[in-house]
Amino acid sequence: MKKTVQLYEGKAKKVYATEDENLCIVSYKDDATAFNGLKKGTIEGKGAVNNVVSNHLMRMLEQNGIPTHLVEELNDRETLVKKVSIVPLEVIIRNIAAGSLSKRLGLPEGEKLKKTVLEYCYKDDDLGDPLVNEYHIAALGIADDEELATIAAYSFKINDLLSAYLKDAGIELIDYKIEFGRTADGTIILADEISPDTCRFWDSKTGKKLDKDRFRRDLGGVEDAYDEIRKRLLGK
Ligand code: 5GP
């Protein structure tokens, strides 16, 4: 399948149309941004790690009953995916307090939450991706109740599957952000990516951060952390 025109360029990926109107090609970049684009940089090799890690995890989820956009990995940076229209929500699942939740609620980072937390943010860069709830989502017509129920059910199932899978690789899944899309017939499927850019991964034994927080917080060893995740999950 060949790329035709570029449809979109985001902060971390480009999306191309193909000769098949139902399929797109995603190309992962090494560009890194944080804090809504205020911090910019490059993480050498990030695009390749995120491509293969995301595909690996989506394949595992697909085998366990979660419909995803993954069709075929084309090369180290590019993947053929089903074309979707993205539901403009960032779905965030949290097992352990960290990041903006810790700030907002005054919880120490690393504290286990008594219940898994699901949050929605409305994807809008100009507004800074504000936190919204089911009522806002219905009021804005972002998704209907049935779609949102599907999205929430998939998100919790993904949490169970991913947490168990990563635990075997010595990785604790602290929290993550996922996005869903609608195919041409309106089916909700998992889209975007699952990678060290979009998840907090901590080493189970040492608590070492193996994710984009190393870039966000200037902790150093960013490339090594991404590579460590690739090695633990893909063994190469
Ligand atoms: P927080 O709200 O604590 O900043 O992020 C919670 C989780 O969602 C983290 O795993 C973080 O990586 C992910 N996340 C939230 N918003 C974004 C975003 O705009 N871009 C990316 N790459 N990840 C996000």
Side-chain angles (χ1 to χ4, degrees), residues 131-215:
L131 195 62
V132 289
N133 65 25
E134 288 87 342
Y135 292 88
H136 300 112
I137 292 166
L140 271 67
I142 296 169
D144 66 30
D145 290 351
E146 196 188 329
E147 287 177 324
L148 202 58
T150 302
I151 286 172
Y154 283 158
S155 299
F156 285 117
K157 186 168 177 199
I158 290 168
N159 191 41
D160 291 342
L161 292 166
L162 269 187
S163 296
Y165 189 80
L166 292 165
K167 197 172 174 194
D168 286 344
I171 300 163
E172 184 146 24
L173 182 59
I174 306 304
D175 57 28
Y176 59 91
K177 184 266 297 179
I178 47 180
E179 297 182 22
F180 292 87
R182 299 181 185 95
T183 59
D185 69 4
T187 307
I188 295 281
I189 65 174
L190 180 66
D192 195 52
E193 66 180 282
I194 303 180
S195 73
D197 265 17
T198 60
C199 303
R200 287 197 170 93
F201 294 140
W202 293 2
D203 182 277
S204 303
K205 282 212 186 88
T206 64
K208 183 178 176 187
K209 295 179 182 19
L210 298 171
D211 56 58
K212 196 174 165 189
D213 271 351
R214 302 205 74 82
F215 169 78

Side-chain angles (χ1 to χ4, degrees), residues 70-83:
L70 176 63
V71 177
E72 187 191 354
E73 192 169 292
L74 299 174
N75 56 54
D76 69 341
R77 263 172 208 276
E78 295 180 328
T79 295
L80 187 65
V81 297
K82 291 177 195 156
K83 185 171 187 175

Side-chain angles (χ1 to χ4, degrees), residues 11 33 36 90-94 98-102 104 119 121 125 129 174-179 193 195-201 211-213 216-217:
K11 296 180 200 119
T33 64
N36 201 14
E90 295 190 336
V91 183
I92 295 170
I93 296 281
R94 302 180 184 269
S100 70
L101 183 81
S102 288
R104 195 174 346 118
E119 297 172 349
C121 292
D125 282 341
D129 299 339
I174 306 304
D175 57 28
Y176 59 91
K177 184 266 297 179
I178 47 180
E179 297 182 22
E193 66 180 282
S195 73
D197 265 17
T198 60
C199 303
R200 287 197 170 93
F201 294 140
D211 56 58
K212 196 174 165 189
D213 271 351
R216 295 187 186 104
R217 302 178 186 190

